[in-house]
Amino acid sequence: MTTKKIPSLFGGAMIIAGGTIGAGMLANPTSTAGVWFLGSTLILIYTWFCITTSGLMLLEANLHYPTGASFDTIVKDLLGNGWNVINGLSVAFVLYILTYAYITSGGGITQGFINQLFSGAESAVDIGRSYGSLIFCIVLASFVWFSTKAVDRFSVVLIGGMVISFFLSVTNLVGSVNTEILFNTVQQGEQQYLPYALVALPVCLVSFGFQQNVPSLVKYYDRNATQVLKAIFIGTSIALVIYILWQLAIQGNLPRAEFMPVIEKGGDISALLDALSKYLQTDYIATALRFFAYMAIASSFLGVTLGLFDYIADLFKFDDSATGRTKTALITFLPPLLLSLQFPYGFVLAIGYAGLAATIWAVIVPALLAKASRAKFKNSSFTAYGGNFMIYFIILFGLLNIFAQLAMQFGFLPEFKG
């Protein structure tokens, strides 16, 4: 009799970390500039705790259903068709708005790379932001159109390059951190912090989204709740450490008062890297940062759009022929591309709106599922910690995020201008 081998904890943790760490983190330094380093660290830890806990609540509900059951099955059974429709719409909205965000930022960096490549000492080339967005979108969309395997292979290359360039740049940036800049003791510009705390929440939330991976881990570990729990904690903790290192690298080198041009361009990554390059002592750090940002955006774009592509194909029942995949690709990529051409500087704003919708399916729905499953199923092989108090604590976190995004939209919250 052979015993089935349990997959490694490292593999599951990497699934969570890989699905969590992405281009969303690039918006964090700008969105948290108002609260600066200490405030952003506290907000990141608070967000990490709440999102990790909501993931465990989803795990608790998921274990009451057959292996392979996902949001659609579980939400429909426990919360009804109404919540299932709301949850489905929020997932689609998040995927579309993230696609737009990645096209806007990827287009900006593509523009910069091509301009630098073809500009000489005597003549400067500027292809424009629109062409940068078009090139970025068309090239990467072709991988999604071609096959999932093509996305898989190219993603491995991108993630490998992202890891190398991240550590090359961040190691040197952390070594050059100026404590006066990091703790904002240079006394330049505005000195208030607390009024900007709520504004930072929605963007930080997007940086920790992994709930879509929970059903996959239940299947991966053959319903071993302890292994899934450990993988979630290790994976999200890795993401938290990397995000704090990223905050340290950016907010320890670029003064708080110097974020004005970055904020004016909606947190555009090219603008952030341009502002940071004034304070870097070596060119290769700035180059490594640009490569990291580009590969983070490209890998996130592929991951998000592959999910959106499959969702659209299933929704409209398009077949897998070249014609069917072309129809799917047009519905997947054309709306966010056109939006990007019309509004080329909306990265942080778009990530924030993604946070608003993600709050529903990544925070509020998992908490409601845990509550409903405890009422419906009296015996549980796994129960998330904290009892009913923690359920309401997580729902409050979700409501705070929704309030922050709506209050920001209607001008009820102060915005840090740099």
Side-chain angles (χ1 to χ4, degrees):
M1 182 176 173
T2 58
T3 305
K4 189 176 180 180
K5 186 179 179 183
I6 299 174
S8 73
L9 191 58
F10 178 79
M14 287 302 101
I15 289 172
I16 294 295
T20 303
I21 300 165
M25 69 178 281
L26 300 174
N28 284 347
T30 304
S31 66
T32 61
V35 292
W36 208 233
F37 180 69
L38 292 179
S40 65
T41 301
L42 291 174
I43 289 171
L44 283 169
I45 292 171
Y46 171 53
T47 303
W48 163 81
F49 175 79
C50 291
I51 292 291
T52 300
T53 303
S54 79
L56 298 182
M57 289 176 178
L58 178 58
L59 169 63
E60 177 184 341
N62 201 313
L63 289 169
H64 292 293
Y65 293 85
T67 301
S70 193
F71 268 102
D72 185 69
T73 301
I74 301 167
V75 175
K76 190 181 292 182
D77 185 59
L78 288 176
L79 303 180
N81 284 325
W83 269 107
N84 194 41
V85 169
I86 292 170
N87 191 66
L89 288 174
S90 69
V91 171
F93 179 80
V94 168
L95 295 179
Y96 264 120
I97 206 73
L98 286 177
T99 302
Y100 157 74
Y102 298 151
I103 292 173
T104 60
S105 283
I109 301 179
T110 300
Q111 175 195 7
F113 277 140
I114 292 176
N115 290 348
Q116 188 176 6
L117 183 64
F118 291 101
S119 292
E122 297 179 357
S123 61
V125 172
D126 187 0
I127 64 167
R129 185 61 171 263
S130 295
Y131 283 107
S133 295
L134 278 169
I135 293 167
F136 175 85
C137 183
I138 291 169
V139 170
L140 291 180
S142 64
F143 284 92
V144 179
W145 175 88
F146 192 75
S147 71
T148 301
K149 189 174 182 179
V151 172
D152 179 19
R153 295 288 173 84
F154 193 44
S155 293
V156 170
V157 175
L158 289 171
I159 291 169
M162 188 172 73
V163 170
I164 293 169
S165 57
F166 177 78
F167 282 103
L168 278 175
S169 56
V170 169
T171 301
N172 285 278
L173 281 172
V174 169
S176 64
V177 163
N178 184 326
T179 54
E180 289 187 344
I181 293 175
L182 186 66
F183 298 112
N184 198 35
T185 57
V186 289
Q187 300 298 318
Q188 291 179 354
E190 191 179 341
Q191 296 301 306
Q192 293 188 82
Y193 302 94
L194 194 57
Y196 306 111
L198 281 176
V199 175
L201 275 175
V203 173
C204 290
L205 185 150
V206 176
S207 302
F208 284 101
F210 68 90
Q211 275 68 9
Q212 71 277 4
N213 297 126
V214 173
S216 303
L217 284 186
V218 171
K219 184 177 181 180
Y220 186 66
Y221 286 117
D222 196 25
R223 306 179 69 83
N224 186 324
T226 303
Q227 286 293 96
V228 178
L229 181 150
K230 289 178 180 177
I232 288 173
F233 262 109
I234 293 171
T236 56
S237 296
I238 290 170
L240 176 65
V241 170
I242 287 176
Y243 291 160
I244 292 174
L245 278 175
W246 178 245
Q247 295 289 110
L248 181 68
I250 301 299
Q251 294 181 345
N253 287 280
L254 181 62
R256 186 172 183 246
E258 296 297 317
F259 267 84
M260 184 183 294
V262 185
I263 294 168
E264 284 177 350
K265 290 193 174 181
D268 182 61
I269 302 305
S270 293
L272 174 63
L273 296 178
D274 285 341
L276 189 62
S277 65
K278 299 174 186 176
Y279 296 89
L280 298 179
Q281 296 179 354
T282 54
D283 290 338
Y284 90 88
I285 296 177
T287 302
L289 266 180
R290 286 186 182 277
F291 272 107
F292 163 69
Y294 198 56
M295 286 181 277
I297 290 167
S299 63
S300 294
F301 176 89
L302 288 174
V304 165
T305 56
L306 182 62
L308 181 58
F309 187 92
D310 292 339
Y311 177 83
I312 294 296
D314 181 57
L315 184 66
F316 292 101
K317 307 304 177 189
F318 292 140
D319 60 32
D320 205 35
S321 66
T323 303
R325 293 184 72 83
T326 300
K327 291 177 183 176
T328 307
L330 288 173
I331 297 175
T332 301
F333 297 106
L334 202 55
L337 176 61
L338 292 175
L339 193 63
S340 173
L341 298 178
Q342 185 67 33
F343 305 102
Y345 297 110
F347 183 68
V348 171
L349 184 64
I351 294 288
Y353 278 121
L356 175 63
T359 300
I360 296 171
W361 66 270
V363 181
I364 292 176
V365 165
L368 294 176
L369 288 175
K371 186 171 174 44
S373 69
R374 289 173 193 179
K376 183 171 183 175
F377 305 104
K378 300 306 177 186
N379 296 317
S380 245
S381 60
F382 170 79
T383 304
Y385 53 76
N388 285 331
F389 167 79
M390 193 55 67
I391 287 176
Y392 295 118
F393 184 83
I394 298 305
I395 291 174
L396 176 62
F397 169 72
L399 293 176
L400 272 176
N401 273 273
I402 291 173
F403 169 77
Q405 184 62 51
L406 293 177
M408 205 166 28
Q409 174 65 27
F410 292 107
F412 297 144
L413 287 178
E415 290 185 57
F416 178 70
K417 299 294 185 183

